Amino acid sequence: MFNLILFGPPGSGKGTQSERLVEKYGGVHLSTGNLLRAEIAQKTPLGLEAKSFIDKGQLVPDEVVIGMVDSYFDLHKDARGFLFDGFPRTVAQAKALDRLLELKKTAISSVLALEVNEEELVKRLLNRGKTSGRSDDTDESVIRKRFSVYTDETSPVAEHYRKARKFHPIEGVGSVDAIFDRLCEAIEKQLKKESGH
Ligand code: ADP
């Protein structure tokens, strides 16, 4: 089983690249942002709670997100592997993920981290906000808040996987195709390593 994390700040291209990666390599795309937005659209109690955090640029509480991921695993028991996008976003989430995967007798193979500078990110997010209908992409102060949350709460997750020697930075500026090629190259390298060649 091959489990990947696509890591990076808001607007770094995780969603776009994840879709292409699962198309090429198979596996299940697990985006906690998408799952939360689906809960919001269906007006579930979880969605209503999540919306109040998302609209302010804050993280949804760990226990809510971890519970949601756990249920998603139950729905996809036969998955060959997962591509995690936007999760884990805190060290507590990373530790919970390690435990959940251990129960499934598997682990994270690799963390691919898209690196993009902040000015480029703000530009991309404001642009996306024009068409996505996402309330958290239209207000620059909410976007800046998401970056500060990223720096404070999410960037320590990088250290968690660096210690495990699983962290691989990838240049995230350039064309979608060029970045996709860089990601594929890193994945092929990992696949070769795991098959013992
Ligand atoms: P982006 O990466 O552009 O911020 P996402 O769709 O991944 O977009 O996330 C949107 C929002 O959903 C986040 O700002 C946060 O409020 C919430 N969210 C998504 N994933 C998580 C998570 N793993 N933990 C806590 N909150 C999350």
Side-chain angles (χ1 to χ4, degrees):
M1 193 161 171
F2 192 67
N3 298 299
L4 272 182
I5 295 174
L6 202 53
F7 189 77
S12 55
K14 301 185 297 287
T16 308
Q17 298 293 345
S18 293
E19 278 170 24
R20 292 180 155 221
L21 289 171
V22 290
E23 201 177 298
K24 178 163 173 158
Y25 295 102
V28 176
H29 179 199
L30 196 168
S31 157
T32 45
N34 288 351
L35 292 177
L36 290 167
R37 281 185 290 277
E39 297 278 343
I40 292 172
Q42 289 158 29
K43 300 197 164 60
T44 64
L46 192 156
L48 292 177
E49 187 191 356
K51 186 171 171 29
S52 62
F53 293 96
I54 292 177
D55 285 349
K56 286 187 277 204
Q58 295 170 355
L59 292 183
V60 174
D62 284 337
E63 60 277 17
V64 174
V65 175
I66 293 163
M68 198 175 68
V69 169
D70 198 11
S71 317
Y72 199 77
F73 279 162
D74 286 342
L75 289 175
H76 294 87
K77 282 205 163 65
D78 301 325
R80 280 204 291 132
F82 288 91
L83 174 59
F84 298 98
D85 158 10
F87 177 86
R89 248 179 165 90
T90 63
V91 172
Q93 290 180 16
K95 289 183 174 164
L97 178 60
D98 287 346
R99 279 194 300 273
L100 287 174
L101 291 177
E102 213 177 296
L103 287 174
K104 295 166 76 72
K105 308 247 177 298
T106 179
I108 292 296
S109 296
S110 185
V111 179
L112 305 178
L114 292 170
E115 297 192 327
V116 181
N117 63 70
E118 186 164 326
E119 284 327 297
E120 167 77 15
L121 293 171
V122 176
K123 224 171 39 190
R124 289 187 190 176
L125 290 172
L126 286 171
N127 232 344
R128 180 168 82 184
K130 288 182 198 157
T131 51
S132 68
R134 277 181 55 172
S135 49
D136 57 345
D137 282 349
T138 44
D139 182 331
E140 190 163 340
S141 68
V142 173
I143 292 175
R144 298 271 175 205
K145 170 72 186 166
R146 283 156 67 202
F147 289 138
S148 77
V149 167
Y150 180 80
T151 304
D152 296 345
E153 300 183 56
T154 306
S155 57
V157 172
E159 192 47 37
H160 177 83
Y161 291 108
R162 227 178 258 124
K163 274 192 225 144
R165 304 177 140 282
K166 291 181 176 175
F167 189 82
H168 305 283
I170 307 281
E171 167 69 54
V173 182
S175 68
V176 171
D177 283 341
I179 299 162
F180 183 65
D181 289 345
R182 285 174 211 147
L183 290 167
C184 292
E185 202 182 308
I187 291 171
E188 306 290 338
K189 225 191 243 172
Q190 183 70 28
L191 285 171
K192 261 196 204 141
K193 208 165 94 190
E194 291 196 7
S195 67
H197 295 297

